[in-house]
Structure formats: structure tokens, C-alpha cells
Amino acid sequence: MTKTILITGGSRGIGRSAAILAGQKGWSVGVNYASNKAAADEVVEAVIAAGGKALAIQGDVAVEADVISMFEQTKQLGRLDGVVVNAGIVAPASKLMDMDSDRMRRVFDVNVFGAYLCAREAVRYLAPSRGGNGGSIVLLSSAAARIGGPFEYVDYAGSKGAMDSLTLGLAKEAGSENIRVNAVRPGLIETDLHASGGQPDRAQRLGATAPLGRAGTAEEVGESIVWLLSDASSYVTGALLDVTGGR
Ligand code: NAP
């Protein structure tokens, strides 16, 4: 069955891969981005070339008016069936004792407040009691939620722990509305995220220590996201799915 989905941070990395895989299924995809319009436009073209429909939607997930607007714009693609709460950031590696409050506030604003706002809008749009048709919400947590991110980013790790809690709570709240809520917890995945934290070689360097002996690809995470959005996972909710190569 074709679906209409919104992916926050769909313009690069894991969100980009999920968008293109959804396009290969013929789905319609809202591709949210923060500032890199060229990257979002490239994903829109790739989704269309793969057989789907797509729309680039600018908006900062940490700004409530932007989040409300991005869901409104998704209506152009059809009634919403799924949302991937994916946009997330890291900051340069640091011990907690050396972190300034601006950095911590931005990490929590985007990764926690932004994710909660997006999840709230998602249930508002998907709930049959509000005119929706049920659906699937996929949250991007991280293996960091259970490892803790020591010496690099315990702020980020905590923000991802919040994704696990949100998944567990919202899955219980939204089940009676036929909304499934699951988290994907990637391990070390080759994307630009690590360079944005000042460690461009991080995934390859640490990925070698995973049981599978390598970093993962954005496509490998995208596959799990699209499965959780699809009807193939129709009895899966409240799950935290590790995609970590065994890490
Ligand atoms: P990425 O390659 O750095 O891409 C981040 C995406 O999020 C971009 O599309 C970016 O848009 C968007 N974005 C950033 N801040 C935003 C904001 N405030 N509002 C809206 N969009 C925003 O990241 P990634 O590696 O694909 O990570 C995706 C998710 O997976 C994140 O939640 C991350 O924490 C999680 N994750 C990643 C890894 C990993 O190893 N890569 C591991 C575990 C979990 P612009 O291009 O416009 O900036």
C-alpha cells in the first residue's frame, strides 16, 4: 500500500536514505531540512526518480511554528500515514565538566524538545479521533542511549535516552488510536554527523570494534525505518530496534 510520510532531517544521512527507499516503494515523502536546501532538493529528485513523490520542507524542529508549518505543508502530498522523527545533532567531543550551557541547550532543544514537538504533531495528524487514519511513528534514538557517550557527548546520549522513554510511553498512549511507535537505535553509521562533531573518521575508526567489524551505512538504517513504517511490521510497537552491527 502506498503511503505518505514526513521525515524530519530527510535531506542528508539516514533520513535521506529512508526517503529514497520510501520512494522506491512509490510512497510520497515530505523531506524536511534545516538549512541545506540543495541537499533537500537532491533528495526530492532522487525520490521522484525512484518512483515516489516528494516535497522539500524547510523548518527547524526546535521551533514550534516551524514544526506546525511542516506538517501543514505535508498535506499537499496526501493524508499522513507515517512520521520519522530523525533530525538530530551532536556537538564536539567533550567531557561534561567542560561543556557550556549553550551547547547543551541546543542539543536538548533539537534532539529532545524538537522530537517531542514532532511526535506530538504526528499523533495529532494520525489519530482517528482527530481525523487521521492511524499510522506509524519511528523515532531515531541511538546506541548511545544505553552506552552513555562518555568523553564525547553525554548530553547527546541523554537526549537519545529521552527518545527511548518517549517511544515506550507514546506507544502505550497511541495504541488505541492504531498508531504504532518504535525507535531505531543506530550504532556507528557513516554519515556527516560525525564530522559535524569534529570527528570525521569516528564511524570507521570505532565501527571496526563492533562484532560485525565495520561501521554501518545509512541505507542499512533506512531499511529498518522503512520496515517499521510499512504494514510488514503491523504488530510491532513500543520496540527499540538496535541497528548496530552487534555493538
Ligand atoms: P546527519 O547526516 O548529520 O543529517 C542530519 C539531518 O538533520 C540533516 O538533514 C539536517 O538538515 C537535519 N537537521 C539538523 N538539525 C535540524 C533541525 N534543527 N531541524 C530540522 N532538521 C535538522 O545525521 P544522521 O547521521 O543521518 O543522523 C540522523 C539521526 O540518526 C539523528 O537523530 C542521529 O542522532 C541519529 N543517529 C545517528 C548515528 C550515526 O552514527 N550517524 C548513530 C545513532 C543515531 P540540514 O542538511 O539542513 O542541516
Side-chain angles (χ1 to χ4, degrees):
M1 199 178 88
T2 67
K3 294 191 183 292
T4 299
I5 62 168
L6 170 64
I7 305 178
T8 71
S11 56
R12 291 189 291 118
I14 290 168
R16 174 183 181 277
S17 285
I20 293 169
L21 289 166
Q24 288 170 8
K25 287 180 165 290
W27 295 0
S28 299
V29 186
V31 179
N32 160 250
Y33 67 101
S35 57
N36 191 338
K37 182 174 187 304
D41 288 343
E42 184 268 334
V43 175
V44 166
E45 282 176 25
V47 171
I48 293 168
K53 293 183 186 150
L55 183 67
I57 304 174
Q58 195 280 329
D60 181 342
V61 295
V63 176
E64 184 172 21
D66 285 13
V67 172
I68 289 169
S69 166
M70 76 176 72
F71 276 82
E72 280 284 333
Q73 291 178 60
T74 308
K75 284 182 186 167
Q76 295 172 49
L77 293 167
R79 188 171 61 184
L80 203 58
D81 300 300
V83 177
V84 186
V85 180
N86 167 76
I89 58 169
V90 296
S94 170
K95 286 186 185 175
L96 179 63
M97 67 167 119
D98 296 320
M99 287 181 195
D100 64 46
S101 61
D102 283 351
R103 163 226 169 96
M104 290 192 277
R105 197 174 300 282
R106 185 62 187 160
V107 167
F108 284 107
D109 266 358
V110 174
N111 294 5
V112 182
F113 185 57
Y116 271 73
L117 283 175
C118 291
R120 184 196 69 185
E121 289 309 299
V123 285
R124 285 179 172 174
Y125 272 74
L126 297 175
S129 64
R130 303 280 181 106
N133 195 32
S136 172
I137 299 171
V138 180
L139 296 150
L140 268 290
S141 174
S142 170
R146 57 177 165 72
I147 294 170
F151 308 105
E152 293 187 307
Y153 33 56
V154 295
D155 52 352
Y156 171 84
S159 76
K160 293 301 174 179
M163 293 306 93
D164 290 1
S165 299
L166 176 57
T167 301
L168 298 175
L170 190 57
K172 290 171 183 148
E173 264 187 27
S176 64
E177 296 269 16
N178 196 27
I179 299 170
R180 297 184 296 108
V181 185
N182 295 287
V184 171
R185 299 199 296 192
L188 294 150
I189 310 301
E190 290 174 26
T191 71
D192 299 342
L193 184 83
H194 308 287
S196 70
Q199 301 187 73
D201 66 338
R202 181 173 179 274
Q204 287 201 332
R205 178 167 42 85
L206 297 176
T209 67
L212 288 187
R214 62 173 176 85
T217 66
E219 289 71 21
E220 289 173 307
V221 183
E223 289 281 1
S224 67
I225 293 169
V226 169
W227 177 71
L228 285 168
L229 290 169
S230 78
D231 298 339
S233 62
S234 54
Y235 201 55
V236 181
T237 196
L240 310 175
L241 175 60
D242 283 13
V243 183
T244 61
R247 187 167 189 254

